[in-house]
Amino acid sequence: MSALVWWAIPLAITALAIAFVALRSRVAEPEPDPMAERLRLREAMERSSRPAKRSSRRSPDNPR
């Protein structure tokens, strides 16, 4: 019976090692592409920095 107990220890350690490797090697969610994020930020900044369209009507203060 003691031989079975001694075999249980390495089997338990092996099972823990397999579980550890399985958890470490699972596929994580892909991280966002930093260049795509930068492009989106640049486009958003360009949209917000465009000057407002001016009307083609002349104002009474400036008849030009």
Side-chain angles (χ1 to χ4, degrees):
M1 184 68 172
S2 66
L4 292 176
V5 173
W6 282 107
W7 274 105
I9 294 171
L11 290 175
I13 291 172
T14 303
L16 287 174
I18 291 171
F20 177 77
V21 170
L23 287 175
R24 293 282 298 181
S25 65
R26 67 177 184 194
V27 178
E29 292 185 24
E31 294 184 13
D33 181 23
M35 292 305 290
E37 292 291 325
R38 184 174 179 193
L39 179 61
R40 285 182 51 228
L41 175 65
R42 182 176 175 191
E43 289 172 351
M45 290 178 72
E46 287 175 354
R47 278 195 306 265
S48 65
S49 65
R50 289 185 188 147
K53 288 187 177 181
R54 295 182 181 174
S55 64
S56 61
R57 290 186 277 166
R58 295 182 181 167
S59 67
D61 297 333
N62 191 2
R64 286 179 149 187

